[in-house]
Amino acid sequence: MTQARSAQPSAWNIANLMTVVRVALVPVFAWLLLREGGTSTTMRVAAFLVFGIAALTDKADGELARRRGLITDFGKIADPLADKALIGTALVGLSILGELPWWVTGIVLVRELGITLLRFWVIRYGVIAASPGGKAKTLLQTIAIGFYLLPLEGFLRLLSEITMGVAVVLTVVTGIDYVVRAVRLRRGRGKEA
């Protein structure tokens, strides 16, 4: 009697293709954002559209992979790296243009690098799932960056600054929460799924 083995999905699937497309859009986005010193409204709107498309692929690829059983080791690694590349490029680009303080970019990048290193530190003990706060952080960062990419003034510019401020607070709070959960997992006191 033979046991049926569950077939692992191929790394060559639509969800992973969307992740690869997101990675490929990062340099296009950076070029559009920084072109003409960031002063061209047309280029800024184009950068906003490319950023938006890339951000939508982030949401779509994960849902598609879960719904169709297309979760692969490649996707587990490439998807968060693609997200970090997109968000990091946007923050650095906006800071280069003088539109976002470098300390904001630094806080977000240090947190993301730290969380990536923590994941490697606890990987043999388990995986820490994204928390609702972490998902809210990502959503707010994406919305705030979208606002910053557009040539907004007045109240809308203030709204972008407030949104980014809340995103930075969530970045710090969820980073601390992740460290606490990682330490508990490593010590064996907490089981995360």
Side-chain angles (χ1 to χ4, degrees):
M1 180 182 211
T2 60
Q3 279 187 314
R5 288 185 356 201
S6 61
Q8 291 291 333
S10 169
W12 294 97
N13 65 56
I14 187 67
N16 286 344
L17 177 61
M18 292 172 83
T19 300
V20 170
V21 167
R22 186 161 67 257
V23 170
L25 287 175
V26 170
V28 175
F29 161 71
W31 179 76
L32 291 169
L33 176 61
L34 298 173
R35 189 157 182 225
E36 299 177 29
T39 60
S40 167
T41 299
T42 303
M43 292 299 111
R44 292 297 288 266
V45 170
F48 169 81
L49 292 173
V50 170
F51 180 82
I53 290 166
L56 288 174
T57 66
D58 178 30
K59 177 119 177 92
D61 66 1
E63 288 180 13
L64 192 60
R66 285 185 293 278
R67 194 169 358 109
R68 294 196 180 173
L70 300 175
I71 297 171
T72 64
D73 289 340
F74 173 81
K76 289 177 188 176
I77 295 168
D79 183 65
L81 291 177
D83 301 343
K84 288 171 181 34
L86 179 64
I87 296 293
T89 298
L91 294 172
V92 169
L94 289 167
S95 291
I96 287 170
L97 296 175
E99 296 188 23
L100 187 67
W102 278 103
W103 66 265
V104 170
T105 297
I107 286 172
V108 174
L109 294 181
V110 165
R111 187 260 193 208
E112 297 305 328
L113 177 62
I115 297 306
T116 300
L117 294 174
L118 268 176
R119 282 194 171 125
F120 287 116
W121 185 59
V122 301
I123 194 73
R124 72 179 142 191
Y125 302 99
V127 175
I128 300 175
S131 67
K135 291 177 182 179
K137 177 257 325 170
T138 301
L139 178 63
L140 280 175
Q141 283 178 351
T142 303
I143 291 169
I145 289 168
F147 284 151
Y148 271 90
L149 292 174
L150 294 172
L152 303 176
E153 296 179 7
F155 174 75
L156 292 176
R157 185 59 169 190
L158 177 62
L159 183 62
S160 65
E161 292 170 1
I162 291 169
T163 306
M164 185 60 80
V166 174
V168 169
V169 169
L170 274 176
T171 297
V172 172
V173 169
T174 59
I176 292 168
D177 175 62
Y178 198 101
V179 169
V180 169
R181 293 192 296 152
V183 169
R184 285 183 184 154
L185 182 62
R186 177 100 183 206
R187 289 182 181 166
R189 288 190 291 161
K191 298 292 183 208
E192 303 289 341

